[in-house]
Structure formats: structure tokens, C-alpha cells
Amino acid sequence: MNQRLREKTTNKNLLQMSDLEVGLVFLVSATKQNAVLLEQIKALSIYRLMDDDEREQLDDALIEAKQAVEMTQLAFQILEQLSGTYNNLLNNNLNDTMKFLTVWSLLLTVPSIVTSFFGMNVPLPFTNSIFGWGIALLISLVLSVWMLIALWRRIR
């Protein structure tokens, strides 16, 4: 599962990891119940009726059950860490994407603000000039480059 997720982190692979986690929860619970059951058998009167070989086999089964509990808990912890790691990776990717989109939306906002001033029906500098459109474009470009440099310095 880890190798598949390293190759390509898809929703299908993440859902399979989630299913594996759910299965491990049930397995951990079942192994704990088995160990508890074997412990309870020792408290019953039937335990006193067992011969030495049967008691030894029950003790061995109890040891194996406790080892199974430890192994399933270890596997569950590893899977939780793996899930947390991929969650962090996905959050980092989302943060990078949001940062990129924010920068672009800010850069695209500047020209619309500048040109909206020149679209108003109020006297503004350069409105009667034949170079008015070019000057508005130049102002937008200068402000956009200035904002890009400021954001670039802040992001690094």
C-alpha cells in the first residue's frame, strides 16, 4: 500500500488505506478479546480440571494471543503514521496550490482596478491623451510587477 501511494496518491489508494485501517481496528479488537477470553478461562473451574499439558498449551495460547495483540497494535500504529504522513503531504500540496492561485488572483486584480478608474465618467489624468490607454496599461504593468516582486520576496 505504501509503495502504491508513493507512486501515485489517488483517492482510490487513499480509500484502500482507509479500508485497511478499519480492518485493523476490528482485528485489534478481536485479538484483545481473544486474549481476555483466554485469561478468563484460567479463572474458571475447568482450568483446575486440566492436566499439566493442557495448562501448558493454554498458557502458550495466551502468550500467542498477547503477541497477536501487540503485533496488530503495532501494525495499526504504523498505518496511522502512514495516514498522517500522506495527510500532511496532501495538505502541503493544497497549500502550494492555494498560494499559487492567490498570487495570480492578486496579480490579475491590479489591472482591473487601474482600468476601472479610467472607465468612470470623471475627469482623470491622461483620459484625453491619445496615449491614455497605453499609460493605463503601463501603470497596471508597473503595479503588477511591483506586487509580484513584493509577493516573491515574502513567499521565499
Side-chain angles (χ1 to χ4, degrees):
M1 177 62 64
N2 189 19
Q3 187 61 35
R4 270 193 273 160
L5 283 169
R6 281 179 187 255
E7 289 171 6
K8 190 166 187 179
T9 306
T10 62
N11 286 342
K12 180 182 174 187
N13 290 341
L14 290 172
L15 287 173
Q16 285 177 347
M17 185 172 66
S18 174
D19 292 342
L20 191 58
E21 270 185 289
V22 170
L24 268 175
V25 167
F26 290 125
L27 193 58
V28 166
S29 177
T31 55
K32 283 182 181 179
Q33 291 301 319
N34 288 344
V36 168
L37 176 68
L38 291 173
E39 283 285 343
Q40 288 176 349
I41 289 175
K42 287 179 116 178
L44 296 175
S45 61
I46 194 169
Y47 182 73
R48 285 183 281 260
L49 299 175
M50 292 181 179
D51 61 21
D52 289 338
D53 286 339
E54 290 172 333
R55 286 182 184 174
E56 187 177 324
Q57 286 179 351
L58 183 63
D59 289 337
D60 289 344
L62 183 59
I63 290 169
E64 292 290 331
K66 288 180 180 179
Q67 286 177 346
V69 169
E70 292 299 319
M71 292 292 287
T72 54
Q73 284 178 336
L74 179 65
F76 184 72
Q77 288 172 351
I78 290 170
L79 197 56
E80 273 186 330
Q81 283 182 335
L82 185 64
S83 177
T85 299
Y86 282 106
N87 189 26
N88 289 339
L89 284 172
L90 292 173
N91 284 337
N92 281 343
N93 290 344
L94 179 62
N95 287 341
D96 291 342
T97 302
M98 292 305 294
K99 189 185 305 182
F100 175 79
L101 291 174
T102 301
V103 167
W104 273 105
S105 67
L106 288 173
L107 289 175
L108 292 174
T109 301
V110 172
S112 65
I113 290 173
V114 171
T115 55
S116 67
F117 283 120
F118 285 95
M120 295 180 188
N121 292 326
V122 292
L124 290 171
F126 314 116
T127 54
N128 295 328
S129 170
I130 54 174
F131 299 111
W133 185 82
I135 293 171
L137 188 63
L138 183 65
I139 291 170
S140 297
L141 186 62
V142 167
L143 287 175
S144 294
V145 168
W146 174 76
M147 183 179 281
L148 182 62
I149 291 170
L151 289 172
W152 184 265
R153 286 182 182 167
R154 185 174 177 98
I155 289 173
R156 274 194 300 140

